[in-house]
Amino acid sequence: MVPHLVTALTGPINELEQRVLDSMPAIERWFRLEWMEHTPPFYSAVDIRNAGFKLAPVDTNLFPGGWNNLTKEMLPLAVQAAQAAIEKICPEARNLLVIPENHSKNTFYLANVAQLVRIFHMAGLNVRIGSIDPAIKSPKKIELPNGETVTLEPVVRSKRRLGLKNFDPCTILLNNELSAGTPGILEDLHEQYLLPPLHAGWSVRRKSNHLHSYEELSKRFGKLLGIDPWLINPIYARAEGVDVAEGRGIDVLTSHVDAVLTKVRRKYKEYGINEKPFVVVKGGHSGSGSPGVVTVRDAKDVEALIGKPRTGAASIAPAARTGAGRDLREPTELIVQEGVLTNERVHNGVAEPVVYMMDRYVVGGFYRVHSERAADENLKLPGASFVPLAFSESAHLPQPGAKPGASAPNRFYMYGVVGRLAMVAASYEMEATDPDAEIYE
């Protein structure tokens, strides 16, 4: 069954969907040519927001968890994509080592790892899980709520290679964002493929690099479709040198918030959109476990991010805290991004689609649903649930003859197009930041 959706089916989103469906051959050719020149991320997940008048990616994850939220019907797509990806990288691959986050007590996360093991085992590989957690000193078997078990084993590092006792992989799959930095044990590996590469980790990666690449691509893609790129691209700005804890750079942050809000107001006026614009402020080099997303609706509200206790030191006011208890206290580069409403509802909760990809292929996804959040708020918080992007028909293919909004596969195809566009942007981003790339004058 398709989850029951309450989606705005009028206005520009219908026109955009029609343009996408009418341009399908040109779109697929465009992606095909891109992948002839660029290497897709090994796997990725893209959070998308459908405002009814705009459809845009708001986050791109290059170390996606949540694979356990994909339905059994989606597994064959993931297995085929895994086979294609491995064949390109290491055709003779026999052994694959998965390195997870150091969350050995988080059984929900480990269910995601178990699903990855299943996918690559079905793709024809011997798969084991190697932990870089110093606390894992011997094989540790963990039971999951669904009755499965996963076994974490301590990694063994030789001078040139990484593996397990009596297990030598040619390929190492990271499912670890490396937010705390790059462990030395993963550096200087020889004759082994590390996927994704170390510079995809959040200790190196910057959201601004990705957003810049996506902005440039959305202009080209908009020209291909004959649409305003804004319909698929959130306006953003980068605020550097902001230290919320010390109250430094707040004027810079306020200025960027005001500028982005002004641009969005112009667009709303142009399209006759009767909504109040907002922006989100988030860390510029942070993964899923880092400074949270703060919603700001007016430039004057930026001052509310700062509280002045009697000691004179600045602190985060309650308004700046996220539901996860994280805040923006660390001195950092901040991203001010146009907020995109979500007009989708699943099971009476606010919902946003998350598209999962492996190699160049869309392999599935799910809705992130939160019954306690509003349409203009971050849904990546405790209390969120996940509803698979199921299909009412066996065919996952779009139906060009159907009216816009009338067909779930058509809507999901459009989500897949936007997700793949973000994946191309990630490819550009990784090339631009690759420390081993040759630079030609």
Side-chain angles (χ1 to χ4, degrees), residues 42 82-97 120-121 123-127 161 167-173 191-193 195:
F42 187 80
Q83 287 174 326
I86 291 293
E87 282 172 13
K88 283 196 306 188
I89 296 161
C90 184
E92 69 280 6
R94 179 179 297 155
N95 297 334
L96 176 77
L97 181 66
F120 286 95
H121 177 74
L125 294 164
N126 300 315
V127 189
R161 296 176 75 84
F167 186 79
D168 184 31
C170 90
T171 306
I172 299 165
L173 178 63
E191 301 167 1
Q192 284 179 305
Y193 297 93
L195 307 167

Side-chain angles (χ1 to χ4, degrees), residues 377-388:
E377 291 184 305
N378 177 28
L379 305 186
K380 272 190 175 178
L381 293 171
S385 59
F386 306 95
V387 177

Side-chain angles (χ1 to χ4, degrees), residues 269-350:
K269 186 175 181 181
E270 178 185 341
Y271 284 93
I273 296 164
N274 190 25
E275 299 283 355
K276 184 173 175 60
F278 67 101
V279 299
V280 294
V281 181
K282 50 189 171 183
H285 45 91
S286 50
S288 59
S290 68
V293 174
V294 178
T295 300
V296 181
R297 296 171 182 83
D298 191 290
K300 296 193 294 289
D301 296 342
V302 174
E303 290 298 326
L305 295 177
I306 304 300
K308 301 278 188 183
R310 292 177 186 173
T311 59
S315 69
I316 295 296
R321 294 198 180 278
T322 72
R326 301 183 185 100
D327 53 46
L328 300 171
R329 279 182 287 195
E330 293 298 320
T332 186
E333 167 190 288
L334 296 180
I335 296 296
V336 179
Q337 190 176 44
E338 173 191 350
V340 182
L341 293 165
T342 178
N343 258 354
E344 296 192 328
R345 305 290 183 275
V346 175
H347 302 158
N348 297 318
V350 174

Side-chain angles (χ1 to χ4, degrees), residues 362-399:
V362 175
V363 298
F366 53 82
Y367 282 101
R368 181 183 290 112
V369 185
H370 207 302
S371 60
E372 298 175 8
R373 305 295 285 178
D376 62 351
E377 291 184 305
N378 177 28
L379 305 186
K380 272 190 175 178
L381 293 171
S385 59
F386 306 95
V387 177
L389 277 170
F391 296 91
S392 56
E393 305 97 4
S394 59
H396 293 26
L397 299 174
Q399 302 163 356

